[in-house]
């Protein structure tokens, strides 16, 4: 039994098909997919959404198939990337409808690859509750069905979920109801009803990531506007979007060139041995104290390896000498002194400045800040599309390596995931070009960093220390981000029931699972023998929606481990029944 039939459920079926010839020779195994949305595409990639919405990755960087770089016990079953399957340019940012078609095809291929004794059934309904004894069959209650489905095992591959509002959002929503304002909560933007955002009226937007990009597109091109080169031609139906966030800047653009030459030998300072050491510490580990210094050193190594090997003319020391001193440096202070070997400060890696580029900056007027932030975005676009700055791509590879290792540690808090997404999972370059055009047209206005929103005098008011004294008033507020996938606040009744029954959760409210095979843990840390979970609502969440080819994909490794545990359990269960 698998709850949800989206990409993660499909990946699990593919791994069951790969492992079954070795691990399962029993009769009559039925896989029940429970999801109101179509198998393969699921909710996020379904066909019924605007064709204006793009993927956030190049088509050549999206695959649903394993390769030899994945560390797993099951066999490799190669297959085409999105661009190979669709026959499109690998550098294309495909629309989500095309990705949905790819996912449906992958699902069909995975089902077709199952041995004849394994059948798949799709139930286009919601699963409301899972009950049953720890050592017995599980009962899965479906919406609109009087009787439950019986299952020997349940795998929760729930994907992105809706959530209750937090305390601040609840207060703002209540104020909006009382005063006739509009408050749109965190949501998957394609599902949001944007009709209340009226033409020409100011709208406050909190969030400058990918949800904002979707919102921007749907409220501009989606309302009849069009882009002609670097100019936006309004339709007159657009609201005016005043956008801000904690950082006050959009996520960094996707890198627009390919890797050439020698890759940094990763992992170097944060690999399996370091993770084993962190896991073995009797008192546990603290991310900022114990983990972040290793992350920082690994990313710095990736950056400087690329700079010294690909652009030696911009360095003042031989790489072998730099590498030796860098490896010996015990802390950040020693490394900071060492990077004097890189004369131009723009070639040095400053993670703090990358993370919070507006910290300490103040502008005397709103218009001055608009010019400054447009210049910042232009600079980011130029840098991320110029191979002369390929040390940035080295850092990107370092981030992928780091994330693949940190998955073993469990949830590290929202700050790490936010930092990764901001640096590595930003929008396509063309989207930031559109943002600049919309800014020049006055359709998008920038508020600044550490944006705060107050509800008072019958309106919402936004301000930021970036432009002291400047206040924006609006009758509409959009929370442009996905809901937090927590057990306590999830609107999903199944997860709420699991929480009530004693499922373990992290400090950030994610579902705790066993690192080895994805079994759900209770609050005492005991794995449930018949319940598994994969995906962003767990503390074993992985980077990005999809895996880049030849990057060792931790999601593939997890899928394989869970599939093999499922097959072994069912094989042994059948053996016991025969005995």
């Amino acid at each position: 039994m698998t709850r949800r039939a989206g990409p993660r459920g499909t990946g699990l079926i593919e791994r069951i098909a790969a492992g079954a010839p070795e691990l399962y020779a029993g009769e009559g195994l039925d896989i029940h997919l429970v999801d109101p949305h179509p198998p393969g595409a699921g909710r996020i990639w379904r066909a019924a959404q605007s064709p204006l919405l793009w993927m956030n990755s190049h088509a050549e960087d999206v695959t649903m198939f394993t390769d030899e770089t994945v560390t797993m016990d099951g066999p490799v079953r190669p297959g085409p990337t999105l661009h190979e399957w669709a026959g499109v340019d690998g550098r294309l940012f495909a629309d989500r409808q095309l990705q949905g078609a790819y996912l449906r095809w992958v699902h069909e291929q995975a089902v077709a690859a199952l041995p004849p004794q394994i059948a798949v059934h799709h139930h286009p309904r919601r699963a409301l509750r899972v009950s049953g004894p720890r050592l017995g069959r599980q009962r899965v209650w479906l919406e609109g069905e009087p009787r439950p489905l019986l299952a020997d095992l349940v795998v929760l591959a729930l994907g992105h979920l809706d959530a209750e509002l937090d305390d601040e959002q609840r207060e703002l929503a209540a104020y909006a109801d009382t005063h006739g304002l509009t408050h749109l909560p965190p949501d998957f933007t394609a599902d949001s009803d944007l009709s209340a955002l009226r033409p020409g009226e100011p709208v406050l937007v909190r969030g400058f990531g990918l949800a904002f990009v979707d919102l921007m597109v749907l409220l501009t091109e989606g309302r009849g506007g069009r882009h002609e080169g670097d100019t936006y031609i309004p339709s007159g139906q657009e609201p005016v979007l005043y956008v801000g966030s904690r950082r006050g800047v959009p996520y960094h653009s996707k890198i627009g060139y390919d890797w050439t030459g020698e890759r940094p030998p990763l992992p170097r300072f944060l690999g399996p041995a370091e993770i084993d050491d962190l896991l073995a510490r009797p008192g546990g580990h603290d991310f900022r104290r114990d983990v972040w210094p290793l992350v920082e050193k690994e990313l710095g190594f990736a950056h400087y390896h690329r700079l010294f090997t690909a652009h030696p003319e911009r360095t003042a020391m031989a790489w072998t000498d730099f590498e030796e001193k860098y490896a010996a440096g015990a802390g950040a202070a020693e490394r900071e002194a060492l990077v004097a070997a890189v004369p131009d400060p723009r070639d040095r890696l400053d993670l703090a400045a990358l993370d919070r580029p507006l910290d300490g900056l103040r502008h005397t007027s709103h218009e001055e800040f608009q010019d400054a932030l447009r210049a910042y975005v232009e600079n980011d676009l130029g840098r991320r599309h110029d191979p002369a700055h390929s040390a940035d791509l080295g850092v990107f590879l370092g981030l992928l390596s780091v994330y693949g290792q940190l998955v073993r540690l469990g949830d590290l808090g929202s700050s790490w995931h936010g930092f990764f997404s901001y640096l590595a999972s930003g929008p396509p370059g063309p989207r930031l070009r559109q943002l600049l055009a919309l800014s020049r047209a006055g359709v998008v206005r920038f508020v600044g960093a550490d944006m705060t929103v107050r509800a008072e005098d019958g309106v919402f008011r936004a301000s930021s220390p970036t432009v002291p004294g400047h206040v924006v008033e609006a009758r509409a507020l959009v929370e442009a981000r996905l809901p937090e996938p927590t057990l306590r606040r999830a609107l999903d009744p199944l997860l709420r029931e699991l929480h009530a029954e004693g499922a373990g959760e992290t400090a950030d409210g994610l579902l705790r699972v066993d690192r080895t095979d994805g079994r759900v843990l209770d609050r005492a840390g005991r794995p449930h023998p018949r319940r598994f979970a994969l995906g962003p609502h767990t503390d074993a969440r992985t980077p990005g929606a999809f895996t880049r080819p030849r990057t060792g994909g931790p999601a593939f490794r997890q899928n394989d481990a869970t599939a093999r545990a499922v097959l072994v359990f069912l094989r042994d269960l059948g053996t016991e029944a025969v005995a």
Side-chain angles (χ1 to χ4, degrees):
M1 165 72 64
T2 299
R3 162 97 198 270
R4 288 294 172 93
R8 205 62 192 263
T10 292
L12 182 67
I13 292 175
E14 188 278 330
R15 287 290 84 200
I16 288 174
E22 172 194 354
L23 299 174
Y24 187 82
E27 297 293 331
L29 172 57
D30 292 296
I31 299 174
H32 293 268
L33 301 176
V34 180
D35 195 329
H37 300 288
R43 173 188 178 187
I44 303 299
W45 307 98
R46 65 187 188 274
Q49 60 182 299
S50 172
L52 294 172
L53 299 178
W54 298 351
M55 291 200 71
N56 195 43
S57 300
H58 290 121
E60 65 187 4
D61 291 334
V62 177
T63 187
M64 285 288 289
F65 295 97
T66 56
D67 58 44
E68 68 276 12
T69 66
V70 181
T71 303
M72 59 183 180
D73 293 328
V76 170
R77 294 282 184 90
T81 62
L82 171 60
H83 96 281
E84 291 167 341
W85 175 82
V88 297
D89 186 337
R91 307 298 290 179
L92 175 73
F93 291 98
D95 64 64
R96 292 181 194 163
Q97 292 181 345
L98 181 62
Q99 172 66 358
Y102 173 63
L103 293 172
R104 289 192 295 276
W105 176 81
V106 173
H107 175 79
E108 292 166 359
Q109 296 299 303
V111 171
L114 290 166
Q117 74 269 28
I118 301 180
V120 176
H121 314 271
H122 177 223
H123 303 267
R125 300 179 180 275
R126 288 199 309 158
L128 302 178
R129 185 162 60 94
V130 176
S131 62
R134 284 180 59 83
L135 301 178
R137 299 193 86 189
Q138 304 295 290
R139 295 185 290 275
V140 182
W141 302 84
L142 307 187
E143 189 173 50
E145 293 289 348
R147 296 181 179 178
L149 286 172
L150 298 179
D152 292 308
L153 293 173
V154 175
V155 182
L156 305 176
L158 300 179
H160 292 290
L161 300 168
D162 297 325
E164 290 181 346
L165 303 182
D166 63 25
D167 291 342
E168 184 204 16
Q169 293 162 7
R170 192 178 299 110
E171 290 177 6
L172 291 170
Y175 192 89
D177 288 342
T178 302
H179 293 83
L181 309 180
T182 298
H183 176 262
L184 298 187
D187 198 1
F188 174 50
T189 309
D191 289 340
S192 297
D193 180 4
L194 305 179
S195 60
L197 307 180
R198 294 191 287 265
E201 293 197 358
V203 174
L204 303 182
V205 182
R206 286 204 295 192
F208 219 158
L210 303 181
F212 165 75
V213 171
D214 287 352
L215 180 76
M216 175 187 84
V217 171
L218 292 174
L219 291 174
T220 55
E221 289 181 277
R223 290 193 174 182
R226 68 185 190 276
H227 290 272
E228 293 185 359
D230 287 336
T231 301
Y232 179 70
I233 311 299
S235 68
Q237 297 302 304
E238 305 89 345
V240 180
L241 304 179
Y242 287 83
V243 57
S245 66
R246 184 175 67 87
R247 293 185 180 91
V249 298
Y251 283 14
H252 284 284
S253 166
K254 277 285 188 293
I255 291 176
Y257 52 85
D258 293 322
W259 184 273
T260 59
E262 181 185 356
R263 286 180 175 250
L266 300 170
R268 175 66 187 276
F269 299 105
L270 181 54
E274 287 74 24
I275 298 298
D276 288 343
D277 176 66
L278 290 166
L279 289 171
R281 295 186 182 187
H285 54 269
D286 175 80
F287 179 75
R288 181 55 57 179
R289 182 192 66 231
D290 303 319
V291 182
W292 177 250
L294 295 171
V295 172
E296 198 171 31
K297 192 167 186 177
E298 189 80 324
L299 298 182
F301 174 78
H303 173 94
Y304 291 113
H305 178 277
R306 179 63 182 180
L307 183 70
F308 276 77
T309 57
H311 311 288
E313 71 282 0
R314 303 203 318 252
T315 66
M317 181 186 291
W319 166 244
T320 52
D321 295 335
F322 184 93
E323 181 183 25
E324 180 181 356
K325 290 180 172 61
Y326 187 90
E334 291 88 346
R335 292 195 297 276
E336 186 175 346
L338 178 62
V339 299
V342 179
D344 189 340
R346 292 173 296 181
D347 284 331
R348 301 172 188 170
L349 181 63
D350 186 340
L351 292 177
L354 274 175
D355 188 31
R356 296 296 301 264
L358 300 185
D359 270 12
L361 296 180
R362 298 292 180 264
H363 293 272
T364 58
S365 72
H366 180 67
E367 291 304 323
E368 178 186 280
F369 177 54
Q370 306 311 295
D371 292 339
L373 194 53
R374 282 193 291 266
Y376 167 86
V377 174
E378 287 277 14
N379 179 70
D380 182 57
L381 279 166
R383 184 177 179 109
R384 304 285 273 194
H385 289 76
D386 183 353
H389 297 289
S390 61
D392 293 354
L393 186 50
V395 174
F396 173 79
L397 296 178
L399 282 164
L400 292 181
S401 175
V402 164
Y403 211 130
Q405 299 299 326
L406 295 186
V407 164
R408 292 180 55 204
L409 293 181
D411 183 55
L412 297 169
S414 58
S415 62
W416 160 247
H417 294 280
F419 175 77
F420 175 89
S421 298
Y422 167 68
L423 283 186
S425 295
R431 288 302 197 206
L432 290 183
R433 287 286 174 204
Q434 292 174 353
L435 172 67
L436 290 170
L438 291 166
S439 172
R440 290 190 292 266
V443 176
V444 173
R445 310 288 289 175
F446 309 123
V447 175
D450 296 314
M451 172 181 171
T452 59
V453 175
R454 303 185 308 278
E456 57 191 18
D457 300 330
V459 295
F460 294 121
R461 290 192 174 114
S463 60
S464 161
T466 305
V467 188
H470 183 74
V471 177
V472 182
E473 290 188 359
R475 297 183 60 81
L477 169 63
V478 180
E479 310 283 4
R481 55 188 180 274
L482 288 174
E484 289 293 329
T486 62
L487 283 181
R488 293 173 185 268
R489 289 177 41 225
L491 290 179
D492 185 271
L494 191 152
L495 274 187
R496 298 290 288 267
E497 188 75 18
L498 283 183
H499 179 260
E501 290 181 359
E505 62 179 325
T506 67
D508 277 357
L510 299 179
L511 182 65
R512 292 185 61 218
V513 296
D514 190 303
R515 287 292 167 281
T516 58
D517 57 17
R519 279 185 165 89
V520 174
L521 301 178
D522 65 15
R523 287 170 194 164
R526 297 179 304 165
H528 196 292
R530 292 176 180 254
R531 297 177 185 175
F532 298 76
L534 297 165
H537 62 294
T538 74
D539 64 348
R541 52 184 169 172
T542 54
F546 298 100
T547 295
R548 292 167 63 96
R550 306 192 59 76
T551 59
F556 289 147
R557 183 168 66 244
Q558 292 173 351
N559 291 346
D560 187 72
T562 298
R564 293 177 74 82
V566 164
L567 290 168
V568 168
F569 181 93
L570 295 173
R571 179 195 65 193
D572 294 347
L573 191 66
T575 301
E576 292 171 7
V578 171

